[in-house]
Amino acid sequence: MADTGTAQTISVIGLGAMGTALAKALLAANHRVTVWNRTASKSVALGDAGARIAQSAAEAVDASQVVVVCVLDYGASDSLLRTPNVVARLKGKTIIQLTTGTPEDARDASEWAREHGVAYLDGTIGCYPKDIGTPDGSILYAGSRSTFETLRHTLANLSGHALFVGERFGNAAILDGAVVGSFSLGATLGFLYGAAVCDAEGISLDTYLSLALARRPFVEDTLQTCVQMIKKGDYSGSQATLDSWAAGIGQLVEYSRECGTDSRYPQEVLARLQQAVAMGHGQHELAAVFECFRKPRGDRS
Ligand code: NDP
């Protein structure tokens, strides 16, 4: 099945906020779309928009060569796909699994798919439903490169950024956890804590936002420096020691209490800095905090 960018028959199983956005994007790209959802009422609007409505998951699988699955979790996905009736219909077809799961979920599902003669791509969505079908949309895919290449044009209809991250199943889930769950969410929580401090002190959130956004080049430079230092295993530098970072954040913790915000967030940040200092990194740069988080050396699988 060559994906030349022409219309394909595609089924979408799961029509929550995300599944609905995926189905809409495929319809907008003129694919012939069949949809199914456990709660039938959610398929009505898509039916009005031109999708065919299947009466069961098995019927949705029957309708298309490519099946997109986007339900709450892998338990829900397994309950729909791993039935004799559906498995028999899946043989020789392709599943694009866009349900969020752990790397182990992805590995287990890919093994199951292989055993049943089903091509399988494991994707993780790094954007909101409103971004699906736009240049801002972002989805990572792991699995067979040839399956990814075969579907490249169709996947581009789902998100402007459709990135293949390797044949090792689990890679998409690992990177999603790191980029979205750890980095992006962590940065946002830090931003929200700062917003609480400004709010407590009557400082304009617009001023705070513009100052935070102006730090983008600084953040970029910090991240690049961190990766270089981690790769070298050498955290020595001349910019700012962990001792000085810890002293500064210690003052933020103190002040956070005074201004009436919940100071547990900066306390936790301070605890990690102090842990790195206790490990002997007081005169090293911030990147040394990596040593608190990392899997111990010699314990890598
Ligand atoms: P919703 O809560 O809006 O929808 C959940 C979907 O899962 C519904 O279609 C629901 O069916 C279905 N479902 C839940 N349990 C079962 C079950 N036991 N059997 C059959 N179907 C079931 O979630 P989203 O659409 O937002 O999320 C779907 C997936 O996309 C999740 O894995 C989520 O992590 C991921 N995702 C979502 C993002 C977002 O911004 N929304 C961003 C990135 C990833 P029913 O309608 O019948 O309840």
Side-chain angles (χ1 to χ4, degrees):
M1 177 194 48
D3 183 12
T4 56
T6 53
Q8 289 206 41
T9 41
I10 304 178
S11 292
V12 179
I13 292 180
L15 299 175
M18 189 53 86
T20 298
L22 296 167
K24 279 184 185 165
L26 292 170
L27 280 172
N30 293 321
H31 295 291
R32 291 181 296 279
V33 179
T34 297
V35 295
W36 179 82
N37 191 59
R38 180 180 62 175
T39 305
S41 57
K42 289 188 190 168
S43 52
V44 173
L46 284 161
D48 292 344
R52 193 186 140 209
I53 300 172
Q55 299 306 312
S56 64
E59 193 182 312
V61 169
D62 244 352
S64 306
Q65 195 59 27
V66 175
V67 181
V68 175
V69 182
C70 187
V71 289
L72 186 65
D73 55 24
Y74 269 70
S77 172
D78 289 350
S79 73
L80 298 172
L81 300 182
R82 298 193 191 197
T83 70
N85 197 19
V86 171
V87 167
R89 290 169 159 82
L90 274 169
K91 195 172 168 61
K93 298 192 171 182
T94 300
I95 294 175
I96 303 173
Q97 178 60 269
L98 296 178
T99 300
T100 301
T102 65
E104 190 48 39
D105 285 333
R107 288 189 277 263
D108 174 68
S110 67
E111 186 56 28
W112 170 85
R114 194 188 57 74
E115 281 168 12
H116 292 90
V118 183
Y120 191 85
L121 268 186
D122 177 67
T124 55
I125 302 173
C127 62
Y128 289 115
K130 69 180 173 58
D131 304 313
I132 293 297
T134 77
D136 293 334
S138 172
I139 306 181
L140 306 180
Y141 295 94
S144 147
R145 181 179 283 279
S146 71
T147 304
F148 176 80
E149 293 299 339
T150 301
L151 291 171
R152 179 180 278 281
H153 290 97
T154 303
L155 301 179
N157 295 142
L158 295 178
S159 63
H161 303 275
L163 194 64
F164 183 71
V165 292
E167 297 221 317
R168 217 169 55 136
F169 281 101
N171 274 12
I174 292 166
L175 283 164
D176 183 63
V179 176
V180 180
S182 177
F183 174 62
S184 190
L185 180 59
T188 306
L189 289 186
F191 176 81
L192 292 173
Y193 184 74
V197 170
C198 291
D199 181 62
E201 293 288 14
I203 288 179
S204 151
L205 292 185
D206 292 328
T207 303
Y208 169 56
L209 174 63
S210 66
L211 288 172
L213 292 178
R215 288 189 70 76
R216 275 182 288 201
F218 178 84
V219 171
E220 204 173 310
D221 181 61
T222 301
L223 301 186
Q224 278 166 356
T225 303
C226 283
V227 167
Q228 283 163 13
M229 288 186 166
I230 291 167
K231 280 181 177 171
K232 279 196 219 151
D234 180 1
Y235 303 109
S236 49
S238 59
Q239 298 307 304
T241 63
L242 268 178
D243 282 336
S244 69
W245 275 104
I249 298 301
Q251 282 154 25
L252 175 63
V253 169
E254 205 174 299
Y255 165 70
S256 301
R257 290 196 193 103
E258 281 167 27
C259 75
T261 58
D262 183 333
S263 62
R264 282 176 292 184
Y265 174 75
Q267 275 174 40
E268 175 55 24
V269 174
L270 178 60
R272 296 286 73 79
L273 299 184
Q274 288 172 333
Q275 183 185 347
V277 169
M279 290 166 77
H281 295 292
Q283 287 301 299
H284 286 153
E285 300 279 315
L286 190 57
V289 177
F290 174 74
E291 295 297 325
C292 303
F293 296 141
R294 75 177 309 154
K295 187 172 181 176
R297 286 178 205 279
D299 188 20
R300 288 165 179 249
S301 46

